[in-house]
Structures are given as C-alpha cells and as structure tokens.
Amino acid sequence: MANEWIERWREGRIAFHLPETHPQLERHWSALDIPPGDKVLVPLCGKSLDMRWLADRGHPVLGIEFASEAIEQFVAEGDGEVSRYRQGYFDVWRQGSVEIWCGDFFHLHIDNTREIQAFYDRAALIALQHPARQRYAFHLAQLLPPGAKGLMITITRSILPEKGPPYNVEPEEVRQLFTPNFELELLDVLPADDRGFSEHVWSLVRRGPSEG
C-alpha cells in the first residue's frame, strides 16, 4: 500500500487530490464549535488545501503523510519560509502554522499528539483497505484526548466492483469502527456524483474512559 501510494505521487496519478478547499469542510466545520488555537490532526493529508483553510482560521495543523513528494509540492505551492527537522520516526516540514510529518501514521505516538484537540479526515479512512480500517480507527482513538472533536468524510460507491482508493465504506461499518470510542453523528449525505460516489459527513467526539 505504501509503495503504491508513493508511486501515485511520483507519477502524478493524484485524481483524489482536490485543488480547492473541500466544500463540506467549509460548510460543517463551524458546527463542531472548535475554538481557534486548537491544534488539528490531519491523517494521510497529501497536499490538501484544507490544511491551509484550517490554518487561516487560527488552527495549528499537524498533517501526517507517507509520500514526501506530496509534502514537497504542498510547501512549494504555499507562501512563507519552510523549516525542516527530524522528530522520532518522522521527517518534518513546517510552513507557517502547518507542519507535515512524513512517515507512517501508525508510527505516530501519543507523545507526539499531546497538543492535539481536534482532527479532520477527508481522505484517510477511505484510502485504507478493509483490514487496515479497524487498526486506523483504534489508533486514532488512542492519539486523541477525551472530548476531542473531529469532522470525517467517507464515501459509498454505487458502481462496483470496487477499485480504490477511495474505497467504499458503508455507514454501518463507520458506526462499528468508531462508536466504541467516539460519539458519532451523521451530519449530511450528498447525492451520488457521476462516478457513483456519495459523500457522508460525520461529526465525532472522543469519549472519556468511563463512557460506553
């Protein structure tokens, strides 16, 4: 999976990249009532412009991305000085209030996320094949403190057989994956587009240890 992802970036096969801020982020983020200053984790971030949108609204951003090509393009297309350093398993690029760590999301440790209060997932869960999605949901929960809020966008596909990413993730699977550790609310379901993709927009809140 990792090698395939890197090859996609090297060859420019990045149809999944949205060259603008995701409209559902713009529409629904304010409903989460996340105050400016809260740091936002963006797993499998690519070179998403959503990170700049969040930064422009006062959120420090921590993106995690496996392909260094994506990060190099992100900072090249942005403004401002870029600093680079090493943090554990990760090479880090920082530009303004956005820092992107290059490496495996599953190597991210809770010690690296102590300042995180929120998260945004537009392309992480749907980029993973079925066996990895359970691991992702559990690992995300371990990285977040109780009360952390997030916005997640998933996709169902009416045109099968499935080829991805993005992968088809049915609402029932989302509930099975996240309900044990998050309060989950489906905010919106968009009509299928011409590819048969329908986006589902979710609000999540990390449960406390005594909540079930």
Side-chain angles (χ1 to χ4, degrees), residues 12-24:
R13 294 185 291 118
I14 55 171
F16 48 82
H17 173 70
L18 190 67
E20 59 191 24
T21 304
H22 198 291
Q24 301 312 312

Side-chain angles (χ1 to χ4, degrees), residues 6 10 13 15 20-22 43 46 76 84 88 92 107 121 140 144 149 156 159 163 166 175 180 193 198 203 211:
I6 291 172
R10 286 178 178 170
R13 294 185 291 118
E20 59 191 24
T21 304
H22 198 291
R84 290 190 59 176
V92 180
H107 289 164
D121 175 356
L140 181 65
L144 297 170
K149 298 177 181 179
T156 57
I159 300 174
K163 293 182 180 180
R175 294 186 178 96
D193 62 18
S198 175
S203 164
E211 298 178 77

Side-chain angles (χ1 to χ4, degrees), residues 1 49 58 60-61 69 86 127 138 143-144 148 168 181-182 184 192:
M1 174 67 183
L49 296 179
V61 174
E69 289 81 359
R86 183 77 179 176
F138 179 78
L143 296 173
L144 297 170
N168 179 71
N181 293 306
F182 294 88
L184 192 65

Side-chain angles (χ1 to χ4, degrees), residues 90 101 105-114 139 143:
F90 298 86
W101 294 26
F105 172 73
F106 295 111
H107 289 164
L108 195 65
H109 190 271
I110 190 172
D111 288 342
N112 306 132
T113 61
R114 294 194 183 279
H139 190 59
L143 296 173

Side-chain angles (χ1 to χ4, degrees), residues 42-177:
V42 185
L44 282 64
C45 62
K47 61 171 184 176
S48 173
L49 296 179
D50 296 346
M51 292 188 287
R52 298 202 190 282
W53 187 91
L54 289 165
D56 287 345
R57 277 140 192 85
H59 297 292
V61 174
L62 171 58
I64 309 296
E65 173 54 47
F66 203 88
S68 60
E69 289 81 359
I71 306 172
E72 293 283 10
Q73 291 178 31
F74 178 84
V75 298
E77 294 166 6
D79 296 319
E81 183 179 347
V82 178
S83 59
R84 290 190 59 176
Y85 55 94
R86 183 77 179 176
Q87 181 73 40
Y89 292 105
F90 298 86
D91 289 318
V92 180
W93 283 252
R94 183 180 184 95
Q95 188 176 51
S97 57
V98 178
E99 54 185 297
I100 306 180
W101 294 26
C102 185
D104 189 337
F105 172 73
F106 295 111
H107 289 164
L108 195 65
H109 190 271
I110 190 172
D111 288 342
N112 306 132
T113 61
R114 294 194 183 279
E115 297 179 353
I116 297 294
Q117 296 94 15
F119 71 97
Y120 171 62
D121 175 356
R122 174 251 163 180
L125 185 70
I126 61 174
L128 299 172
Q129 297 183 31
H130 187 271
R133 294 199 284 264
Q134 179 73 52
R135 184 183 178 199
Y136 169 79
F138 179 78
H139 190 59
L140 181 65
Q142 302 314 300
L143 296 173
L144 297 170
K149 298 177 181 179
L151 189 72
M152 182 169 64
I153 301 172
T154 59
I155 286 175
T156 57
R157 302 174 58 137
S158 60
I159 300 174
L160 299 174
E162 174 182 329
K163 293 182 180 180
Y167 292 102
N168 179 71
V169 185
E170 294 289 341
E172 184 54 35
E173 181 181 354
V174 175
R175 294 186 178 96
Q176 290 174 354
L177 291 174

